[in-house]
Amino acid sequence: MADETPKPSELLSKIDYHTPSTHWMDVPVNIRKGMYCYASNPKSVEYLGLPNARAWNPIEEDWKLPENWQQILHEGFKERLEKFRSIKVFMDICVRCGACADKCHFFIGTGDPKNMPVLRAELLRSVYRNDFTLMGKLLGRFAGARPMSLAVLKEWWYYLFQCTECRRCSLYCPYGIDTAEITMFGRELLNLLGLNIDWIATPVANCYRTGNHLGIQPHAFKDMLEFFVDDIEEITGVRVEPNFNKKGADILFITPSGDVFADPGTYTCMGYLMLFHFLKEKYGLDVTWSTYASEGGNFGSFTSHETMKRLNAKMYLEAKRLGVKWILGGECGHMWLVINQYMDTMNGPADFLEVPVNPITGTRFDNAASTKMVHLSEFTADLIKHGKLDLKPERNDNKILTFHDSCNPSRGMGMFDEPRYVIKNVANHFYDMPANTIREHTFCCGSGSGLNAGENMEERMAGGLPRANAVKYVHEKYGVNMLACVCAIDRAALPASMAYWVPGMQVTGVTELVANALVLPGEQERTTDLRGEPLPGMEEADE
Amino acid sequence: MNKFYLSSLLAVFVLALIAWVGGPSAPWLFGIVLPYLAVILFVYGVARRVMGWSRSAVPFAIPTTGGQQRSMPWIKQNKIDNPSTHLGVFIRMALEILTFRSLFRNTRMKMTHEGRFSYNLEIFLWLGAIAFHYAFLTTLVRHMRFFLEPVPLCIQAIEAVDSFFRFEISYDAIQFGLPGVYISGIVLLAAVVYLFLRRLFIAKVRYISLAQDYFPLFLIMGIAFTGILMRYFTKVDIAAIKELTMSLVTFKALSFKVPQGIGPLFYVHLAFVSTLLIYFPFSKLMHMGGVFLSPTRNLAANTREVRHVNPWNYPVKVHTYEAYENEFRDKMVEAGLPVDKMPEESAEEEKE
């Protein structure tokens, strides 16, 4: 697929911010190759017991919908208007001021006006007005209403899968209208008709069965971590011993399975192993991994609220079974939206766990008092603040860093200073990107919310453009050569978008940097970092 | 797109014409029935809409976090944009409603020909919006003088401040003076014209605009324009108007007698205002009420600290550990992973 993707210069010259002369309702949707993901595999849909499992193809005329699909949608819409005040209010109060229009990375990268958050929402609102409001019924298009049709449905599908639920537009909206909420709702409706994409549906089915999106079975999961154990031994001379499914451990650690599977997330995973080994040796802290709850991410959240809950349930179930005190969560984006804003409500109360206390520093994480789950960056920052880690930040001296705030920990949580604090303590060269592109203003990697497939490379590169552009700025200005992040999707998506837009830029997880700097008890003199690249000053030793 | 604003403009003109002609010939209809009807429909409509929203559940706490979270004491929390307390939420909401804080963040994206992007502060939408809303509010408060007798001091004070600017020429040859010029009226008209022009001339905004975006702008333009005309140019019988408005609030108007001498322009003004009130609950103007109920702004971002309860939370099918172990037990044992039941035990159970 990659060879069909336009070159960066072609993609840039294709961006046209001029609006068409025809009204948007009269511009038919064009489901274009490179801009959409393949349809869900019926086996995955069936495994989960979700509706209308069948093989279908988005670019074919016939989507093999149930006969009464319009009724299903109408009733699904109606039911959710009662269940979600957010949707009801967001359908009614938009004034179309346009503040959100140029905030979306997909709009910036494509110029397609239907990627303006306001129009993405209007795709649904127009049908809402037609079906549920007096004005819409009386005045039709003059009130911005239009009836549901197959063409409208296809338009919904195309554009609801060109939103990564990053919430950037919501920040600027004077009424807090959140397109992520609208997209989640819209995708939930589409799922009533079996209109998911496979890059979401199959990971969800895998996760349901094997505990993780990649479908790694328990023995293989253990094997994969043991590969890392070997690698770590080679680099440090220390053999770390991770616990699996260990009853009575202090803490259960859950992270996205992407970190176990693909570079450069694997280096972050090695970082986790080394950090926990250090804490075990030095302070006796007992952390366990679980093969059953072996996924932090939750692609269910890109499917429906119910599916989100079904997948998320494992975290508490496993914590209870193992009898741990509290849960520590690894570096992941949407995982943390789910944990921070949904988990406790959906699957709590977690009264069988304790309010998280870091036994090494005595810090009580009151901000997680009810959910009982702490972010690894919070945990690491606390350890560093209390001087509990032995660090040699100079080992990261050949890395000139910047930090990408992932959308969900930013606008669905507000974790900005903890990872920066960690980075600045384990590395010496750090430069932030321009102010309007970081922290709460941050841009999405372009591939979030289940869009990180191979067949939609043009869509991903277009969506990744604003982030890449800001990286390029610090790359040229300060010579930044490494982009740090706390999200597994970022680690999977950004290397491609960096190779495309900012060649030479590498991507790393924060815990990889920590582990590079961390001095393990009894380690040999290290000559390379976790990637096998020579440490600063060790370039000759490598020969 | 043009048909959207032209149709809205036409609707407002037709309305003006009807009131101009109809007002003087059926003053009871335009001076008494219409305003009463408008107020009733406004109150009923707004209440119904707000109650409709309130009836819907708030299953999840989904605040948009616009600043540093509360975590450890040595990390400085942004208590307003990421509020973890009710006070913080109150301040966030107050700033949102009184100062349009989110809109104040607005930036404008620009792409240079080399494919570089910049995002600079874009203040004009915020400025236009704030000028418009505060001018409207001042005008509204000022109009309370027509519904209260004696006019309370606070309203007189607002008027005095609002009309500090005077325009008078007093030479022997020319004697000309306007009554104290209300800044609010001028600002209102200017702001509403600006909001219309940006809809018309900014291509993106024009593309997303619907007829229902133009209609209230024209209506409010009409209200401000007729108001200014009456005050400064074509003098109307203000005493007769106050007699009418007082009779409306004291319900003496139910005798359907309208004082003589009220010019047609006043009926146009009143018809515009009444239409706005009737239109309000069915339209996007309900953002006035909705902003209070937006779950991304009015909830505390303490979602890991305090459990939010979903009123319709229901049990779902999950894949239990037991089912998982049953499927993978042999492989787990072989890999040296701990299991809850050894293969022999589970085989025995199956026999039973």
Side-chain angles (χ1 to χ4, degrees):
Chain A
M1 220 34 62
D3 37 317
E4 290 174 27
T5 309
K7 291 191 175 58
S9 57
E10 288 166 11
L11 205 148
L12 269 180
S13 62
K14 263 168 81 173
I15 302 174
D16 179 10
Y17 296 121
H18 292 98
T19 47
S21 51
T22 27
H23 186 251
W24 63 266
M25 285 189 197
D26 298 323
V27 179
V29 62
N30 171 22
I31 299 180
R32 199 158 58 76
K33 210 167 175 177
M35 295 296 287
Y36 74 93
C37 297
Y38 296 150
S40 42
N41 183 333
K43 279 187 203 148
S44 302
V45 180
E46 204 169 352
Y47 186 79
L48 291 157
L50 296 177
N52 202 21
R54 83 277 174 227
W56 65 288
N57 186 344
I59 48 173
E60 276 169 17
E61 180 56 33
D62 181 10
W63 279 13
K64 300 177 188 162
L65 300 169
E67 209 156 285
N68 60 339
W69 67 269
Q70 274 163 309
Q71 191 196 347
I72 295 173
L73 270 192
H74 178 83
E75 277 161 16
F77 209 127
K78 193 172 174 185
E79 184 194 334
R80 281 159 187 80
L81 286 172
E82 302 308 314
K83 284 169 102 174
F84 294 91
R85 184 184 297 167
S86 50
I87 298 302
K88 207 169 187 179
V89 171
F90 296 165
M91 287 296 123
D92 281 332
I93 63 171
C94 177
V95 302
R96 287 164 295 280
C97 70
C100 60
D102 57 1
K103 305 302 179 283
C104 174
H105 49 285
F106 281 119
F107 175 71
I108 297 173
T110 62
D112 185 339
K114 283 177 192 166
N115 274 328
M116 293 193 268
V118 50
L119 267 199
R120 199 187 314 280
E122 287 288 313
L123 301 179
L124 277 78
R125 257 186 220 119
S126 52
V127 173
Y128 164 79
R129 292 192 196 103
N130 184 73
D131 287 13
F132 301 103
T133 71
L134 182 66
M135 282 291 195
K137 281 177 185 146
L138 289 177
L139 299 172
R141 192 187 271 212
F142 278 97
R146 62 173 179 174
M148 192 68 200
S149 68
L150 191 59
V152 172
L153 181 71
K154 291 186 174 185
E155 199 179 32
W156 279 20
W157 185 84
Y158 189 60
Y159 289 104
L160 289 174
F161 289 100
Q162 277 185 41
C163 166
T164 49
E165 306 180 1
C166 81
R167 285 186 160 179
R168 188 167 193 263
C169 49
S170 156
L171 183 74
Y172 303 89
C173 176
Y175 318 115
I177 296 174
D178 182 6
T179 306
E181 182 76 354
I182 293 174
T183 297
M184 283 166 88
F185 158 75
R187 290 188 184 181
E188 187 163 318
L189 291 181
L190 292 173
N191 268 282
L192 296 175
L193 305 177
L195 297 175
N196 208 345
I197 60 174
D198 199 47
W199 223 77
I200 296 174
T202 294
V204 170
N206 282 340
C207 190
Y208 194 64
R209 175 169 169 243
T210 65
N212 58 71
H213 290 152
L214 296 161
I216 308 166
Q217 298 188 4
H219 55 294
F221 190 83
K222 184 168 179 254
D223 272 358
M224 290 166 106
L225 287 196
E226 272 161 6
F227 277 129
F228 300 149
V229 170
D230 293 341
D231 285 351
I232 293 168
E233 190 175 14
E234 203 166 297
I235 296 164
T236 66
V238 175
R239 187 147 187 99
V240 305
E241 285 166 355
N243 297 316
F244 295 96
N245 303 353
K246 183 180 174 184
K247 287 193 177 169
D250 296 318
I251 293 170
L252 168 63
F253 177 67
I254 304 177
T255 199
S257 62
D259 284 344
V260 181
F261 179 71
D263 293 349
T266 47
Y267 307 117
T268 302
C269 195
M270 287 160 72
Y272 302 146
L273 291 166
M274 288 163 68
L275 178 65
F276 299 147
H277 178 80
F278 177 90
L279 298 177
K280 169 88 184 170
E281 290 296 301
K282 202 100 195 228
Y283 307 105
L285 186 74
D286 205 9
V287 178
T288 185
W289 297 69
S290 163
T291 59
Y292 167 64
S294 48
E295 179 61 64
N298 191 326
F299 276 31
S301 67
F302 310 138
T303 305
S304 68
H305 287 86
E306 186 176 306
T307 317
M308 183 198 317
K309 183 176 170 179
R310 287 172 70 183
L311 296 189
N312 175 260
K314 282 179 193 171
M315 294 195 182
Y316 279 155
L317 287 176
E318 185 67 342
K320 193 172 185 177
R321 188 182 75 88
L322 297 178
V324 297
K325 295 195 179 81
W326 49 275
I327 314 173
L328 185 64
E331 298 180 12
C332 180
H334 70 278
M335 157 184 174
W336 273 97
L337 177 75
V338 174
I339 291 164
N340 194 49
Q341 300 199 330
Y342 292 91
M343 174 153 91
D344 203 358
T345 300
M346 284 181 159
N347 291 310
D351 40 20
F352 46 90
L353 297 174
E354 295 171 12
V355 173
V357 173
N358 183 343
I360 299 162
T361 62
T363 302
R364 203 178 121 104
F365 294 97
D366 284 315
N367 63 326
S370 178
T371 301
K372 281 127 180 163
M373 190 148 174
V374 174
H375 194 289
L376 187 61
S377 286
E378 296 170 332
F379 183 70
T380 313
D382 177 54
L383 288 168
I384 294 175
K385 180 74 182 175
H386 288 85
K388 299 295 181 187
L389 299 184
D390 304 332
L391 298 167
K392 282 190 181 169
E394 60 275 14
R395 285 188 196 161
N396 283 317
D397 272 356
N398 53 1
K399 300 177 174 69
I400 303 167
L401 290 149
T402 191
F403 181 68
H404 162 63
D405 293 278
S406 310
C407 334
N408 286 297
S410 299
R411 288 177 289 262
M413 188 173 171
M415 192 181 72
F416 303 115
D417 288 333
E418 297 88 341
R420 282 183 174 76
Y421 179 81
V422 173
I423 293 173
K424 286 176 186 168
N425 277 283
V426 300
N428 291 319
H429 307 291
F430 176 80
Y431 301 93
D432 252 325
M433 286 178 269
N436 281 333
T437 69
I438 55 165
R439 300 178 73 93
E440 67 271 18
H441 299 279
T442 190
F443 279 108
C444 178
C445 61
S447 309
S449 84
L451 305 184
N452 197 18
E455 64 270 19
N456 61 334
M457 203 45 99
E458 182 180 342
E459 174 187 5
R460 288 177 47 197
M461 294 305 109
L465 172 59
R467 169 40 76 224
N469 214 259
V471 174
K472 196 173 176 181
Y473 178 82
V474 286
H475 174 61
E476 287 171 1
K477 192 162 181 190
Y478 306 109
V480 167
N481 57 17
M482 193 153 253
L483 176 59
C485 59
V486 282
C487 170
I489 301 254
D490 282 333
R491 287 190 284 274
L494 286 172
S497 119
M498 288 303 125
Y500 188 83
W501 292 115
V502 197
M505 183 64 55
Q506 290 195 297
V507 179
T508 178
V510 169
T511 306
E512 180 187 339
L513 299 170
V514 173
N516 272 333
L518 187 66
V519 181
L520 294 179
E523 71 173 31
Q524 65 195 24
E525 196 193 0
R526 292 194 210 174
T527 54
T528 70
D529 62 12
L530 298 188
R531 300 185 179 197
E533 303 286 331
L535 288 176
M538 293 288 178
E539 289 81 0
E540 294 83 35
D542 194 43
E543 294 307 311
Chain B
M1 249 87 13
N2 284 358
K3 70 178 179 210
F4 281 162
Y5 77 75
L6 286 177
S7 59
S8 298
L9 188 61
L10 189 69
V12 172
F13 269 118
V14 169
L15 193 65
L17 196 67
I18 294 172
W20 180 274
V21 176
S25 44
W28 59 274
L29 182 62
F30 285 85
I32 294 166
V33 176
L34 183 64
Y36 272 144
L37 190 72
V39 170
I40 291 166
L41 285 176
F42 173 77
V43 172
Y44 172 76
V46 169
R48 215 181 95 121
R49 192 48 84 84
V50 172
M51 272 151 56
W53 289 332
S54 323
R55 256 205 318 276
S56 290
V58 183
F60 305 106
I62 52 162
T64 309
T65 54
Q68 172 60 41
Q69 67 166 348
R70 168 175 173 248
S71 64
M72 287 154 288
W74 50 274
I75 288 179
K76 194 171 174 284
Q77 180 197 357
N78 184 334
K79 291 184 179 175
I80 296 170
D81 294 317
N82 196 341
S84 57
T85 62
H86 291 303
L87 179 67
V89 174
F90 179 81
I91 295 170
R92 184 185 203 187
M93 288 299 289
L95 287 174
E96 200 65 87
I97 288 159
L98 300 174
T99 70
F100 307 170
R101 184 178 173 83
S102 290
L103 200 56
F104 189 69
R105 288 198 186 94
N106 195 21
T107 55
R108 185 164 50 193
M109 176 271 298
K110 265 194 186 150
M111 183 170 85
T112 65
H113 55 278
E114 306 103 45
R116 290 186 173 277
F117 291 88
S118 66
Y119 315 91
N120 291 318
L121 196 64
E122 204 286 318
I123 198 86
F124 292 103
L125 175 57
W126 176 84
L127 208 61
I130 210 112
F132 169 76
H133 284 87
Y134 275 98
F136 206 131
L137 180 68
T138 312
T139 309
L140 202 68
V141 172
R142 201 153 51 60
H143 275 69
M144 287 302 122
R145 74 144 43 247
F146 292 102
F147 302 100
L148 296 165
E149 189 58 50
V151 179
L153 269 177
C154 57
I155 289 175
Q156 294 189 27
I158 287 171
E159 281 182 342
V161 174
D162 195 9
S163 64
F164 77 96
F165 180 75
R166 304 247 155 202
F167 186 80
E168 280 166 4
I169 302 168
S170 44
Y171 287 109
D172 287 347
I174 325 162
Q175 289 283 343
F176 179 78
L178 288 178
V181 176
Y182 287 129
I183 300 294
S184 58
I186 309 293
V187 172
L188 177 62
L189 187 60
V192 81
V193 166
Y194 167 73
L195 292 177
F196 166 67
L197 291 178
R198 80 178 273 287
R199 268 200 198 282
L200 205 57
F201 289 112
I202 300 178
K204 282 200 291 275
V205 187
R206 184 172 63 232
Y207 197 66
I208 59 175
S209 293
L210 301 169
Q212 45 168 329
D213 297 316
Y214 294 109
F215 180 66
L217 286 178
F218 287 131
L219 209 51
I220 293 164
M221 231 182 267
I223 291 169
F225 183 65
T226 49
I228 287 171
L229 273 187
M230 279 190 287
R231 180 166 170 88
Y232 308 109
F233 301 103
T234 68
K235 298 290 163 132
V236 286
D237 185 344
I238 204 80
I241 289 172
K242 176 132 190 189
E243 200 184 325
L244 170 65
T245 52
M246 285 310 297
S247 77
L248 285 169
V249 277
T250 55
F251 296 107
K252 286 182 187 142
L254 290 174
S255 65
F256 296 105
K257 286 199 183 92
V258 179
Q260 295 293 306
I262 297 176
L265 197 56
F266 174 76
Y267 287 108
V268 176
H269 189 69
L270 190 61
F272 281 165
V273 173
S274 303
T275 309
L276 189 68
L277 287 176
I278 295 169
Y279 178 72
F280 197 98
F282 302 99
S283 72
K284 67 166 191 177
L285 302 178
M286 280 305 294
H287 66 265
M288 185 183 89
V291 65
F292 290 89
L293 291 175
S294 186
T296 59
R297 293 289 186 272
N298 71 5
L299 291 168
N302 59 354
T303 37
R304 266 191 296 159
E305 188 185 351
V306 180
R307 181 170 185 252
H308 179 89
V309 177
N310 174 1
W312 49 260
N313 198 15
Y314 57 93
V316 295
K317 256 199 196 159
V318 298
H319 195 66
T320 59
Y321 176 78
E322 206 185 356
Y324 170 86
E325 195 185 290
N326 285 343
E327 184 176 352
F328 298 114
R329 181 170 296 111
D330 293 338
K331 289 171 176 169
M332 290 173 77
V333 172
E334 201 177 322
L337 288 166
V339 286
D340 279 0
K341 280 182 206 148
M342 287 311 280
E344 309 85 62
E345 290 173 55
S346 66
E348 268 170 40
E349 263 177 39
E350 267 168 41
K351 270 184 224 161
E352 285 164 23

